[in-house]
Amino acid sequence: GDGYMEMKSCWMTKYPITIFQYLEFVQDGGYHKEEFWSKEHWDWIQHEHLECPSDWIKESEQWLIRLPLRIVPIEQVYNHTVSVCLAEAKAFAGWYRDKHRIKDSVTIPTEYQWLQAIGMDSPQAPPIYQRLYSCSCHGILNKMEPESIVNNMDLENKYGVSHLVGNAWEWTSSPFAPF
């Protein structure tokens, strides 16, 4: 669209949240701490008896993760982006804020913040991301499993933020709609 929106400045992590970082939240009891969840999301956690993301498995003391084609020990994918739902992402943000004693709000970016972060100031994807949308069967978006963020360090944009497109679902806290 041709819309214009004024935004307050914000900070964003350089990389997406990794499985290793999310594991800290799980091990710190994040799924048992109501203060990180909205009422609706806490009711869901309680009703479903959730302890971790749906693709994680705990066997004895070992964590495993279910990928599209295999199950692997979680250590093998520590540097991969975590795949969670919006409720889990919001709970993680609250936990992260408290753990790191951040005074400012720590939230999921709005659609406008996300579009600004990827440098979307025109209808065409920024050049740094255009290669992600190639139609070859070897294109990054066509892989069955996410990649480690260390495998594509060249995806840093002009704002110093990396991996905003193509390696995980990009959650926003506002509806993703035309503007």
Side-chain angles (χ1 to χ4, degrees):
D2 295 323
Y4 172 79
M5 175 173 223
E6 188 173 326
M7 293 186 300
K8 293 190 283 184
S9 64
C10 63
W11 291 94
M12 186 175 282
T13 59
K14 181 176 180 98
Y15 300 105
I17 302 305
T18 64
I19 289 171
F20 181 77
Q21 292 171 301
Y22 199 85
L23 180 60
E24 287 183 275
F25 168 66
V26 171
Q27 291 177 330
D28 195 37
Y31 282 77
H32 300 283
K33 296 179 179 177
E34 186 175 355
E35 66 264 27
F36 300 128
W37 304 87
S38 70
K39 179 177 180 353
E40 176 186 10
H41 296 154
W42 182 248
D43 290 346
W44 168 67
I45 291 292
Q46 297 300 298
H47 183 265
E48 298 296 324
H49 306 287
L50 297 177
E51 305 274 333
C52 60
S54 62
D55 56 351
W56 292 23
I57 305 162
K58 181 137 188 199
E59 286 187 357
S60 301
E61 294 301 311
Q62 183 179 19
W63 283 101
L64 305 170
I65 191 163
R66 184 181 307 107
L67 299 173
L69 301 174
R70 59 198 174 115
I71 295 175
V72 299
I74 206 165
E75 314 68 65
Q76 290 182 17
V77 291
Y78 272 166
N79 288 323
H80 288 67
T81 54
V82 70
S83 177
V84 295
C85 71
L86 183 58
E88 291 165 311
K90 286 181 173 183
F92 176 86
W95 170 84
Y96 187 90
R97 179 198 60 237
D98 288 0
K99 178 177 174 55
H100 296 282
R101 297 186 176 108
I102 299 170
K103 293 181 179 155
D104 294 326
S105 176
V106 175
T107 63
I108 309 304
T110 65
E111 175 188 1
Y112 296 109
Q113 290 168 329
W114 184 80
L115 289 172
Q116 181 181 9
I118 67 166
M120 199 68 169
D121 44 19
S122 74
Q124 186 173 358
I128 196 168
Y129 297 118
Q130 287 177 9
R131 72 180 178 89
L132 294 172
Y133 292 99
S134 71
C135 61
S136 76
C137 62
H138 300 293
I140 293 172
L141 287 180
N142 296 317
K143 292 188 176 190
M144 290 295 291
E145 297 178 3
E147 285 197 29
S148 167
I149 60 170
V150 297
N151 287 346
N152 283 299
M153 300 304 279
D154 62 330
L155 291 177
E156 186 173 317
N157 69 14
K158 65 184 178 182
Y159 300 112
V161 182
S162 186
H163 288 265
L164 287 173
V165 176
N167 203 17
W169 185 263
E170 292 83 22
W171 284 114
T172 62
S173 60
S174 60
F176 195 77
F179 51 93

